[in-house]
Amino acid sequence: MSAEHESHERRAATARLAGALYLSFILASVLADQIGRIGLSNEDALADLIATAETRFRVGLVFALVSQLLFLLAAWVLHVLLRPFGRSLALLFLLLNAVGVAVYAASLVVLTVGLAPEAPAGAALVAIDLHGNGVVAAQLFFSTWLVPLGILLLRSRLVPRALGYLVLLDAVAVAFWFLQALLVPDRPELSYPAFAVSLLAEAGLSLWLLIRGVPEPAPARPGGRAAEQHA
């Protein structure tokens, strides 16, 4: 087995690991929302679940926290995969992702305030409100990390260019959600198209990396330079 083939196999394995982690993050986030009403569900549904089905909420909270760990790990593996195409940009998207994960995880911990036995009446509602603000704040970092990521995907040519541009469009979509939630919070329907773009971009990227890995290196032309000189 040639050194070039071994290098390609390692890069393909790294790409598939990144795709698997990214897809696992998406699935864990869906489970957190479906089980614990943590995610896209409204605040009333979350408050009702905390009050009436604490165990189910706790299970959803576990999925939500695990999803953030998976997201950070996916960003790290993408950093390893894309670092050869731009060390500074790769470090930048990893740092932005890490800050976003930290803010989001802190907002999840806040939710446990409402579970404390000595918590005063209304503590759960206050915790849910603070959680929502933390989730919105995290979107600033979750939007900006996609910019250097998209640039490196385009530069590396490891994925189709359309997918690279879709990741950049996802950055705009998440930023739009961030601004809508802060400036016009009573109009969440404005961000529904943004949610669709995010799902398409992030599920598309994770599935492409998981299934396709990275492209095979172009085969060397017979004769190499000698053939060119005698052509």
Side-chain angles (χ1 to χ4, degrees), residues 96-169:
L96 289 169
N97 178 282
V99 173
V101 166
V103 173
Y104 196 101
S107 78
L108 292 172
V109 174
V110 167
L111 287 174
T112 62
V113 171
L115 300 177
E118 67 278 8
L125 295 178
V126 174
I128 290 171
D129 189 51
L130 290 174
H131 162 70
N133 291 334
V135 170
V136 171
Q139 304 316 307
L140 176 62
F141 303 96
F142 288 156
S143 64
T144 50
W145 94 286
L146 292 167
V147 176
L149 175 62
I151 292 172
L152 287 179
L153 288 172
L154 289 171
R155 184 182 294 179
S156 68
R157 298 182 181 274
L158 297 180
V159 301
R161 294 186 67 81
L163 188 52
Y165 284 118
L166 187 58
V167 169
L168 291 175
L169 182 61

Side-chain angles (χ1 to χ4, degrees), residues 4-17:
E4 182 179 359
H5 183 72
E6 289 181 356
S7 175
H8 172 263
E9 288 299 312
R10 285 195 299 270
R11 290 173 62 207
T14 301
R16 290 192 173 93
L17 177 59

Side-chain angles (χ1 to χ4, degrees), residues 5-167:
H5 183 72
E6 289 181 356
S7 175
H8 172 263
E9 288 299 312
R10 285 195 299 270
R11 290 173 62 207
T14 301
R16 290 192 173 93
L17 177 59
L21 288 168
Y22 213 138
L23 187 60
S24 297
F25 151 69
I26 295 171
L27 294 176
S29 299
V30 171
L31 288 172
D33 183 65
Q34 293 298 309
I35 296 173
R37 301 299 183 218
I38 302 171
L40 297 179
S41 299
N42 60 49
E43 294 180 353
D44 291 338
L46 179 55
D48 181 67
L49 189 69
I50 292 175
T52 61
E54 181 179 322
T55 300
R56 179 177 166 184
F57 165 73
R58 288 181 180 275
V59 172
L61 186 61
V62 169
F63 277 110
L65 288 168
V66 169
S67 76
Q68 294 309 297
L69 174 61
L70 292 169
F71 197 20
L72 182 59
L73 291 175
W76 167 253
V77 180
L78 284 169
H79 167 266
V80 173
L81 180 67
L82 296 172
R83 183 172 51 194
F85 305 98
R87 295 178 65 89
S88 296
L89 286 176
L91 179 60
L92 176 60
F93 79 62
L94 180 61
L95 290 175
L96 289 169
N97 178 282
V99 173
V101 166
V103 173
Y104 196 101
S107 78
L108 292 172
V109 174
V110 167
L111 287 174
T112 62
V113 171
L115 300 177
E118 67 278 8
L125 295 178
V126 174
I128 290 171
D129 189 51
L130 290 174
H131 162 70
N133 291 334
V135 170
V136 171
Q139 304 316 307
L140 176 62
F141 303 96
F142 288 156
S143 64
T144 50
W145 94 286
L146 292 167
V147 176
L149 175 62
I151 292 172
L152 287 179
L153 288 172
L154 289 171
R155 184 182 294 179
S156 68
R157 298 182 181 274
L158 297 180
V159 301
R161 294 186 67 81
L163 188 52
Y165 284 118
L166 187 58
V167 169

